[in-house]
Amino acid sequence: IPQGTLVSRDVSLAYADFPYRLNSVQGRITLRDNLLECEGLEARAGLCPVSIRGRIAQPGPNYTGWVEVATGSPIMIDPKLIDALPAASRRVVMSMNPQGSATLWARFERLSPQAPLRQRLEIDLIDCSIRYEQFPYRIDKIRGRLVSDYGRWVFQDLEGYNNSAYILCHGGWSRNTMGESELNLHFNAM
């Protein structure tokens, strides 16, 4: 069984399924007794610090374990970030014309070799704005939380402004059993 420690200094990396390049990666990854661990791995997304930690048993096709990624401060929603999204998600996000910044926490976990990979994302929007192509009503100063778990999105405590109107929103997005998208939003404007 291979064993060893990789100490990275100023490395860059990108995950194949989300090719947003992280730079200045520093830290330690250890493989011992068929257990891959990374604790205290630090990187940069532009100027934003990013921490990565994880624990993978039996690395390879039958792995189990988890990896967590978190931003240490807000990251700008820019073309580089949007371009890293899968094509279908990228089209939806681009149609909203988003601006602003957000913090991100993600956990990728597989509990057994037969189980699908569970992906949980929590995105906290900070001073964002949107102007949807199909309904060009600009909403500014948006904040709130977007949570994705197993591909089902929940929008929590979203609030923003259009001129003097204060807008509250909550809801969700998912695919039904037929594979069709279902968007359910509830708005209040004052």
Side-chain angles (χ1 to χ4, degrees):
I1 296 177
Q3 299 196 55
T5 299
L6 170 70
V7 177
S8 66
R9 291 186 179 92
D10 203 24
V11 173
S12 77
L13 60 88
Y15 178 50
D17 290 338
F18 185 75
Y20 184 84
R21 185 150 303 277
L22 298 176
N23 296 303
S24 303
V25 179
Q26 296 185 27
R28 182 181 307 261
I29 300 172
T30 304
L31 176 61
R32 185 173 296 117
D33 299 326
N34 225 6
L35 180 65
L36 183 73
E37 292 183 283
C38 61
E39 275 297 324
L41 206 57
E42 298 293 328
R44 287 257 188 243
L47 298 174
C48 176
V50 177
S51 64
I52 305 164
R53 59 191 204 104
R55 189 175 169 100
I56 304 293
Q58 312 242 326
N62 293 320
Y63 78 91
T64 58
W66 56 272
V67 173
E68 288 182 358
V69 179
T71 58
S73 62
I75 186 170
M76 292 300 297
I77 300 169
D78 62 9
K80 181 181 168 187
L81 182 63
I82 294 169
D83 286 345
L85 295 169
S89 298
R90 184 172 50 247
R91 282 191 298 276
V92 171
V93 170
M94 287 176 67
S95 74
M96 302 297 252
N97 297 294
Q99 295 178 340
S101 60
T103 60
L104 167 75
W105 176 87
R107 182 176 175 104
F108 307 92
E109 184 172 29
R110 189 173 181 201
L111 298 175
S112 77
Q114 299 76 31
L117 179 66
R118 178 182 182 186
Q119 300 177 24
R120 181 170 175 88
L121 297 145
E122 295 180 7
I123 302 168
D124 288 315
L125 303 174
I126 301 163
D127 198 22
C128 293
S129 67
I130 60 169
R131 190 188 49 76
Y132 182 47
E133 289 175 352
Q134 303 299 316
F135 185 68
Y137 182 83
R138 186 174 173 87
I139 303 174
D140 295 303
K141 298 179 184 171
I142 299 170
R143 61 184 185 149
R145 178 170 276 194
L146 311 176
V147 176
S148 173
D149 201 359
Y150 285 109
R152 182 178 183 276
W153 284 92
V154 176
F155 311 130
Q156 301 172 339
D157 304 322
L158 296 177
E159 57 183 67
Y161 294 87
N162 176 272
N163 294 323
S164 63
Y166 176 62
I167 303 162
L168 298 170
C169 175
H170 68 274
W173 177 88
S174 62
R175 294 200 180 274
N176 63 23
T177 55
M178 304 289 287
E180 301 165 326
S181 293
E182 290 185 353
L183 178 64
N184 183 8
L185 296 175
H186 302 274
F187 289 95
N188 286 324
M190 298 172 240

mmCIF file of all heavy atoms in Angstrom, residues 136-153:
data_model
loop_
_atom_site.group_PDB
_atom_site.id
_atom_site.type_symbol
_atom_site.label_atom_id
_atom_site.label_comp_id
_atom_site.label_asym_id
_atom_site.label_seq_id
_atom_site.Cartn_x
_atom_site.Cartn_y
_atom_site.Cartn_z
ATOM 1 N N PRO A 136 -36.879 42.198 -17.057
ATOM 2 C CA PRO A 136 -35.775 43.105 -16.707
ATOM 3 C C PRO A 136 -36.133 44.117 -15.618
ATOM 4 O O PRO A 136 -36.175 45.316 -15.848
ATOM 5 C CB PRO A 136 -35.436 43.775 -18.037
ATOM 6 C CG PRO A 136 -36.682 43.700 -18.837
ATOM 7 C CD PRO A 136 -37.407 42.452 -18.391
ATOM 8 N N TYR A 137 -36.362 43.616 -14.435
ATOM 9 C CA TYR A 137 -36.693 44.407 -13.247
ATOM 10 C C TYR A 137 -35.494 44.261 -12.322
ATOM 11 O O TYR A 137 -35.294 43.206 -11.722
ATOM 12 C CB TYR A 137 -37.965 43.819 -12.632
ATOM 13 C CG TYR A 137 -38.505 44.514 -11.430
ATOM 14 C CD1 TYR A 137 -39.317 45.633 -11.560
ATOM 15 C CD2 TYR A 137 -38.245 44.028 -10.155
ATOM 16 C CE1 TYR A 137 -39.847 46.260 -10.449
ATOM 17 C CE2 TYR A 137 -38.777 44.640 -9.036
ATOM 18 C CZ TYR A 137 -39.576 45.761 -9.189
ATOM 19 O OH TYR A 137 -40.107 46.376 -8.082
ATOM 20 N N ARG A 138 -34.651 45.254 -12.260
ATOM 21 C CA ARG A 138 -33.410 45.152 -11.497
ATOM 22 C C ARG A 138 -33.697 45.111 -9.990
ATOM 23 O O ARG A 138 -34.471 45.907 -9.480
ATOM 24 C CB ARG A 138 -32.506 46.330 -11.816
ATOM 25 C CG ARG A 138 -31.150 46.219 -11.171
ATOM 26 C CD ARG A 138 -30.253 47.355 -11.650
ATOM 27 N NE ARG A 138 -29.012 47.375 -10.928
ATOM 28 C CZ ARG A 138 -27.930 46.685 -11.265
ATOM 29 N NH1 ARG A 138 -27.950 45.918 -12.332
ATOM 30 N NH2 ARG A 138 -26.843 46.763 -10.549
ATOM 31 N N ILE A 139 -33.044 44.173 -9.321
ATOM 32 C CA ILE A 139 -33.129 44.066 -7.868
ATOM 33 C C ILE A 139 -31.715 44.215 -7.326
ATOM 34 O O ILE A 139 -30.798 43.516 -7.758
ATOM 35 C CB ILE A 139 -33.764 42.730 -7.429
ATOM 36 C CG1 ILE A 139 -35.149 42.574 -8.051
ATOM 37 C CG2 ILE A 139 -33.837 42.658 -5.904
ATOM 38 C CD1 ILE A 139 -35.785 41.234 -7.799
ATOM 39 N N ASP A 140 -31.531 45.150 -6.401
ATOM 40 C CA ASP A 140 -30.219 45.459 -5.843
ATOM 41 C C ASP A 140 -30.148 45.111 -4.359
ATOM 42 O O ASP A 140 -31.155 44.810 -3.734
ATOM 43 C CB ASP A 140 -29.936 46.964 -5.988
ATOM 44 C CG ASP A 140 -29.835 47.391 -7.429
ATOM 45 O OD1 ASP A 140 -28.998 46.844 -8.150
ATOM 46 O OD2 ASP A 140 -30.608 48.289 -7.831
ATOM 47 N N LYS A 141 -28.943 45.185 -3.830
ATOM 48 C CA LYS A 141 -28.677 44.966 -2.400
ATOM 49 C C LYS A 141 -29.259 43.635 -1.918
ATOM 50 O O LYS A 141 -29.811 43.531 -0.826
ATOM 51 C CB LYS A 141 -29.210 46.125 -1.556
ATOM 52 C CG LYS A 141 -28.553 47.445 -1.896
ATOM 53 C CD LYS A 141 -29.105 48.570 -1.060
ATOM 54 C CE LYS A 141 -28.486 49.889 -1.498
ATOM 55 N NZ LYS A 141 -29.125 51.029 -0.883
ATOM 56 N N ILE A 142 -29.121 42.617 -2.757
ATOM 57 C CA ILE A 142 -29.658 41.289 -2.421
ATOM 58 C C ILE A 142 -28.737 40.607 -1.421
ATOM 59 O O ILE A 142 -27.524 40.608 -1.563
ATOM 60 C CB ILE A 142 -29.788 40.413 -3.681
ATOM 61 C CG1 ILE A 142 -30.755 41.054 -4.680
ATOM 62 C CG2 ILE A 142 -30.239 39.000 -3.309
ATOM 63 C CD1 ILE A 142 -30.756 40.384 -6.032
ATOM 64 N N ARG A 143 -29.366 40.024 -0.417
ATOM 65 C CA ARG A 143 -28.650 39.155 0.508
ATOM 66 C C ARG A 143 -29.580 38.013 0.881
ATOM 67 O O ARG A 143 -30.789 38.095 0.710
ATOM 68 C CB ARG A 143 -28.134 39.915 1.712
ATOM 69 C CG ARG A 143 -29.180 40.568 2.536
ATOM 70 C CD ARG A 143 -28.550 41.383 3.644
ATOM 71 N NE ARG A 143 -29.615 41.888 4.486
ATOM 72 C CZ ARG A 143 -29.515 42.117 5.754
ATOM 73 N NH1 ARG A 143 -28.384 41.881 6.375
ATOM 74 N NH2 ARG A 143 -30.529 42.566 6.438
ATOM 75 N N GLY A 144 -28.995 36.951 1.372
ATOM 76 C CA GLY A 144 -29.759 35.764 1.724
ATOM 77 C C GLY A 144 -28.932 34.532 1.443
ATOM 78 O O GLY A 144 -27.743 34.618 1.134
ATOM 79 N N ARG A 145 -29.560 33.384 1.547
ATOM 80 C CA ARG A 145 -28.831 32.114 1.429
ATOM 81 C C ARG A 145 -29.456 31.217 0.368
ATOM 82 O O ARG A 145 -30.675 31.081 0.283
ATOM 83 C CB ARG A 145 -28.832 31.396 2.772
ATOM 84 C CG ARG A 145 -28.140 30.044 2.718
ATOM 85 C CD ARG A 145 -27.952 29.466 4.068
ATOM 86 N NE ARG A 145 -26.720 30.061 4.594
ATOM 87 C CZ ARG A 145 -26.077 29.592 5.652
ATOM 88 N NH1 ARG A 145 -26.546 28.571 6.314
ATOM 89 N NH2 ARG A 145 -24.969 30.159 6.063
ATOM 90 N N LEU A 146 -28.576 30.589 -0.424
ATOM 91 C CA LEU A 146 -28.965 29.559 -1.385
ATOM 92 C C LEU A 146 -28.341 28.259 -0.897
ATOM 93 O O LEU A 146 -27.138 28.213 -0.621
ATOM 94 C CB LEU A 146 -28.438 29.881 -2.786
ATOM 95 C CG LEU A 146 -28.676 31.287 -3.324
ATOM 96 C CD1 LEU A 146 -27.999 31.448 -4.679
ATOM 97 C CD2 LEU A 146 -30.153 31.577 -3.418
ATOM 98 N N VAL A 147 -29.148 27.201 -0.793
ATOM 99 C CA VAL A 147 -28.650 25.909 -0.324
ATOM 100 C C VAL A 147 -29.017 24.847 -1.350
ATOM 101 O O VAL A 147 -30.169 24.780 -1.792
ATOM 102 C CB VAL A 147 -29.267 25.534 1.050
ATOM 103 C CG1 VAL A 147 -28.811 24.153 1.486
ATOM 104 C CG2 VAL A 147 -28.914 26.574 2.101
ATOM 105 N N SER A 148 -28.029 24.042 -1.726
ATOM 106 C CA SER A 148 -28.278 22.927 -2.640
ATOM 107 C C SER A 148 -27.884 21.638 -1.933
ATOM 108 O O SER A 148 -26.805 21.528 -1.366
ATOM 109 C CB SER A 148 -27.452 23.080 -3.920
ATOM 110 O OG SER A 148 -27.580 21.926 -4.722
ATOM 111 N N ASP A 149 -28.784 20.663 -1.977
ATOM 112 C CA ASP A 149 -28.521 19.359 -1.390
ATOM 113 C C ASP A 149 -29.079 18.319 -2.357
ATOM 114 O O ASP A 149 -30.280 18.353 -2.671
ATOM 115 C CB ASP A 149 -29.186 19.246 -0.014
ATOM 116 C CG ASP A 149 -28.557 18.173 0.847
ATOM 117 O OD1 ASP A 149 -27.619 17.496 0.392
ATOM 118 O OD2 ASP A 149 -29.015 18.006 1.988
ATOM 119 N N TYR A 150 -28.221 17.441 -2.845
ATOM 120 C CA TYR A 150 -28.620 16.442 -3.844
ATOM 121 C C TYR A 150 -29.291 17.094 -5.057
ATOM 122 O O TYR A 150 -30.242 16.568 -5.616
ATOM 123 C CB TYR A 150 -29.569 15.400 -3.247
ATOM 124 C CG TYR A 150 -28.892 14.390 -2.361
ATOM 125 C CD1 TYR A 150 -29.099 14.412 -0.991
ATOM 126 C CD2 TYR A 150 -28.059 13.422 -2.882
ATOM 127 C CE1 TYR A 150 -28.492 13.484 -0.155
ATOM 128 C CE2 TYR A 150 -27.447 12.490 -2.073
ATOM 129 C CZ TYR A 150 -27.667 12.517 -0.718
ATOM 130 O OH TYR A 150 -27.061 11.593 0.100
ATOM 131 N N GLY A 151 -28.830 18.274 -5.452
ATOM 132 C CA GLY A 151 -29.365 18.934 -6.637
ATOM 133 C C GLY A 151 -30.662 19.688 -6.429
ATOM 134 O O GLY A 151 -31.186 20.294 -7.357
ATOM 135 N N ARG A 152 -31.205 19.686 -5.230
ATOM 136 C CA ARG A 152 -32.418 20.453 -4.920
ATOM 137 C C ARG A 152 -31.987 21.753 -4.259
ATOM 138 O O ARG A 152 -31.275 21.755 -3.265
ATOM 139 C CB ARG A 152 -33.319 19.670 -3.969
ATOM 140 C CG ARG A 152 -34.595 20.397 -3.647
ATOM 141 C CD ARG A 152 -35.497 19.553 -2.726
ATOM 142 N NE ARG A 152 -36.741 20.238 -2.495
ATOM 143 C CZ ARG A 152 -36.919 21.185 -1.565
ATOM 144 N NH1 ARG A 152 -35.922 21.541 -0.787
ATOM 145 N NH2 ARG A 152 -38.086 21.766 -1.421
ATOM 146 N N TRP A 153 -32.432 22.874 -4.830
ATOM 147 C CA TRP A 153 -32.056 24.187 -4.315
ATOM 148 C C TRP A 153 -33.154 24.762 -3.445
ATOM 149 O O TRP A 153 -34.336 24.665 -3.783
ATOM 150 C CB TRP A 153 -31.793 25.148 -5.469
ATOM 151 C CG TRP A 153 -30.476 24.906 -6.138
ATOM 152 C CD1 TRP A 153 -30.247 24.097 -7.215
ATOM 153 C CD2 TRP A 153 -29.225 25.456 -5.773
ATOM 154 N NE1 TRP A 153 -28.926 24.119 -7.539
ATOM 155 C CE2 TRP A 153 -28.273 24.945 -6.668
ATOM 156 C CE3 TRP A 153 -28.817 26.320 -4.769
ATOM 157 C CZ2 TRP A 153 -26.928 25.287 -6.594
ATOM 158 C CZ3 TRP A 153 -27.476 26.668 -4.698
ATOM 159 C CH2 TRP A 153 -26.546 26.151 -5.602
#
